[in-house]
Amino acid sequence: MTAAMPHPREILLGAQAMACSLPVCDHYSGVEVRMRKSLQLQAELTAEFGHCMFDVTLDCEDGAPVGQERAHAALVVQLAQQAAPGARVAARVHAVDHPAFADDMAVIAGEAGQHLCHIMVPKVESVDDVLHAEQALLRAGAAHLPLHVLIESPAAVQQAFAIAAHPRVQSISFGLMDFVSAHGGAIPASAMGVAGQFSHPLVVRAKLEIAAACHAHGKVPSHCVVTEFTDASAMHAAASRAASELGYTRMWSIHPAQIRPILAAFAPAQGEVEQAARILSAAAAADWAPISSAGVLHDRASYRYYWQLLERAHQTGRALPEAVQRWFYDGSPSSFSSESP
């Protein structure tokens, strides 16, 4: 019997194939009615596109009423358990130094771990915080779950590379508003808006450090929120700049109206998709040896780029040319694998 041909993801990415390629949108909600609507919207878009288009992160940090943290954690467990098959559901717990953190991890990871794609930990300052969260995961019997972490202070930005290097960390997000307020008024409030966050040097520097740290260690950089959620054009512009200028491959949504603009902004142009399909089809036919296409030499370096472009097209709902569909729809390695680190 002929052995199955290796998948392009394994051939071209090598060790990087172990790094998960996540949906480009991570949608946050913490109020019960909004959490339920978010899960319903996720199911609707999954039916529309044929695969899960965005993560839903059920929020304990900002969602749990003071004094009712355990009840809110139980609600998160219930919603995760009731989610549709194939749903990608995560939970944001309280920070590691919060009194509710241990309960959050024991209840949510312990009772719903098999229904979750990851746990988000806010206000991570150092690798010690990552280790603390990892130990809580292990105590809860959820050793398979990756951690996503939120960096929100200048001191944490300084530790971004060390945090990204930890094998349990799958993605790092940037917490814009806490980062600005951590500077004691030295950064103006305008830097929290859609325009200022792309122009203030300290904010841009922090975003670049996080993106660089993630790419250095094969992790996913996730861009911060846009609070002007009623302005679709501003949302699309911000997402486009995050992707094209700052190297982010994922972005937060805090309102359902932001999800499709994020998908559109992170999607490659259809012409790029068709070019990538032509080049990779020819490369596969040549057993991944160098080829010439339209008078341009291509080898594994450019194949890797075009493969990642095709993956992003799939993640964002772009139509894939027939020649490459077999790599995405015939049971080949999933773009959204969540294997343990």
Side-chain angles (χ1 to χ4, degrees), residues 39 59 61 67 71 86 95 110 205 219 235 256 295 319 322 332:
L39 292 169
D59 191 8
E61 186 190 26
R205 173 182 173 273
K219 308 303 172 67
M235 182 70 236
E322 185 177 354
S332 298

Side-chain angles (χ1 to χ4, degrees), residues 24-170:
V24 302
C25 181
D26 187 10
H27 180 66
Y28 279 71
S29 54
V31 177
E32 180 176 0
V33 64
R34 294 174 187 161
M35 292 192 288
R36 292 187 182 277
K37 287 182 178 179
S38 297
L39 292 169
Q40 178 60 38
L41 181 59
Q42 185 189 63
E44 291 170 0
L45 264 67
T46 297
E48 177 182 344
F49 290 97
H51 59 91
C52 191
M53 298 301 294
F54 65 94
D55 287 352
V56 171
T57 298
L58 306 177
D59 191 8
C60 292
E61 186 190 26
D62 291 338
V66 176
Q68 299 180 41
E69 289 86 358
R70 190 174 183 86
H72 195 80
L75 173 62
V76 167
V77 168
Q78 178 189 10
L79 293 176
Q81 292 173 338
Q82 294 173 350
R88 285 187 54 89
V89 183
R92 176 165 70 162
V93 297
H94 287 84
V96 297
D97 60 355
H98 191 282
F101 172 78
D103 266 358
D104 279 353
M105 294 293 276
V107 172
I108 296 171
E111 298 180 20
Q114 68 272 28
H115 300 281
L116 299 175
C117 54
H118 63 267
I119 294 284
M120 163 60 79
V121 183
K123 295 179 172 58
V124 167
E125 292 290 313
S126 67
V127 174
D128 286 343
D129 289 345
V130 176
L131 293 171
H132 188 85
E134 181 178 46
Q135 288 303 309
L137 273 183
L138 297 178
R139 286 193 297 271
H144 65 289
L145 281 178
L147 292 175
H148 291 200
V149 303
L150 185 57
I151 285 181
E152 305 179 66
S153 75
V157 169
Q158 187 181 27
Q159 300 299 314
F161 280 81
I163 292 169
H166 192 283
R168 179 71 56 175
V169 173
Q170 188 181 58

Side-chain angles (χ1 to χ4, degrees), residues 237-272:
S240 296
R241 296 189 70 178
S244 64
E245 298 177 16
L246 303 180
Y248 281 78
T249 57
R250 180 168 161 96
M251 188 167 183
W252 285 38
S253 160
I254 55 171
H255 190 277
Q258 295 182 324
I259 295 171
R260 287 185 186 267
I262 289 174
L263 294 177
F266 278 84
Q270 194 62 38
E272 293 179 307

